């Protein structure tokens, strides 16, 4: 089972740590504020009050033994960068970081973060999409140019196959999955060209953000 260490117990880090633990994963919560640690101690596997900027502290926590480390410190950029560097040098396979803005995100990516999230920005984007889009349920930026999105299947697709519609060729997006029954969590990964769309399908697309938005407006 995958194991997680979450550094920083602000609202973002706390919500991640508690949700992962609820899902049955081993979670180490770390923060230098004892009150924040006491608040989560009963809801994670282990909670430790410590300053994660220190390499010796990370070593004592056995941070290198975790599969994924989430660095949820956004308020202090220098602390965020230093902790990310130290965690990267520990040999962690997956590092997820919180960033304040795009510049902060760029720095974290350059020093080795695998995934960088700007929570406020992403929340704003999702709200804007929900306000204006009839079909896009969710969209996540994976770069400045590309996104992955869940969309309600376009009406003109229903009853036709992926091959017949030539989605990639005509629209410049790739279908990576189809959620065929949301109540039962049925998901078809990399569906075959002969898959026939149903009216209840949710299609997971990856491609240029502009192309996905254009598809939504059709």
């Amino acid at each position: 089972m995958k194991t997680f260490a979450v550094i920083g117990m602000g609202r973002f880090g706390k919500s991640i740590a508690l949700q992962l633990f609820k899902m049955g994963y081993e979670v180490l919560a770390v923060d230098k504020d004892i009150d924040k640690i006491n608040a989560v101690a009963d809801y994670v596997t282990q909670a430790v009050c410590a300053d994660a900027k220190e390499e010796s502290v990370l070593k004592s926590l056995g941070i290198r033994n975790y599969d994924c480390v989430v660095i949820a410190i956004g308020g202090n950029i220098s602390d965020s960068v230093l902790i990310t560097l130290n965690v990267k040098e520990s040999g962690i396979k997956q590092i997820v970081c919180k960033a304040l803005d795009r510049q902060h995100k760029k720095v974290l990516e350059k020093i080795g973060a695998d995934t960088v999230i700007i929570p406020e920005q992403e929340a704003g984007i999702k709200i804007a999409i929900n306000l204006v889009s009839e079909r896009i349920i969710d969209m996540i930026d994976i770069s400045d140019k590309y996104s992955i999105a869940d969309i309600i299947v376009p009406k003109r697709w229903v009853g036709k196959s992926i091959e017949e519609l030539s989605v990639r060729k005509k629209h410049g997006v790739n279908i990576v999955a189809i959620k065929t029954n949301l109540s039962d969590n049925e998901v078809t990964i990399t569906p075959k060209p002969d898959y026939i769309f149903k009216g209840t399908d949710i299609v997971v697309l990856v491609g240029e953000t502009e192309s996905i938005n254009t598809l939504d407006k059709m």
Side-chain angles (χ1 to χ4, degrees), residues 40-199:
V40 301
D42 293 334
Y43 308 101
V44 294
T45 311
Q46 184 182 8
V48 178
C49 182
D51 188 346
K53 294 195 306 293
E54 302 295 329
E55 286 184 71
S56 58
V57 169
L58 292 175
K59 190 174 180 180
S60 68
L61 292 171
I63 206 76
R64 66 186 304 170
N65 297 320
Y66 288 85
D67 298 309
C68 174
V69 175
V70 180
I71 301 166
I73 297 172
N76 190 316
I77 293 177
S78 61
D79 283 1
S80 167
V81 170
L82 182 57
I83 293 170
T84 302
L85 275 171
N86 288 338
V87 170
K88 185 68 177 178
E89 289 177 359
S90 298
I92 298 299
K93 294 177 183 177
Q94 185 180 14
I95 301 173
V96 179
C97 296
K98 174 187 175 181
L100 288 175
D101 50 37
R102 286 193 176 275
Q103 188 175 8
H104 186 193
K105 179 179 179 178
K106 241 180 217 183
V107 172
L108 292 171
E109 287 174 337
K110 282 188 178 295
I111 62 176
D114 300 291
T115 305
V116 182
I117 301 163
I118 308 175
E120 292 81 2
Q121 183 186 67
E122 293 189 9
I125 290 170
K126 286 181 181 180
I127 290 170
I129 287 169
N130 288 335
L131 289 173
V132 302
S133 174
E134 295 182 0
R135 296 199 171 274
I136 298 178
I137 297 171
D138 195 11
M139 182 182 282
I140 300 171
D141 287 343
I142 53 178
S143 75
D144 291 340
K145 189 177 181 182
Y146 295 93
S147 298
I148 184 166
D150 287 8
I151 72 163
I152 297 171
V153 63
K155 289 179 182 177
R156 67 175 65 181
W157 290 13
V158 177
K160 298 179 180 178
S161 69
I162 294 174
E163 185 175 29
E164 183 181 356
L165 290 165
S166 299
V167 176
R168 183 176 181 179
K169 184 178 179 180
K170 290 181 180 178
H171 305 292
V173 297
N174 291 304
I175 297 172
V176 295
I178 297 173
K179 300 176 183 179
T180 55
N181 190 328
L182 294 182
S183 60
D184 293 331
N185 291 319
E186 290 182 14
V187 180
T188 303
I189 304 297
T190 56
K192 294 179 180 179
D194 61 356
Y195 179 86
I196 304 294
F197 287 104
K198 298 184 289 294

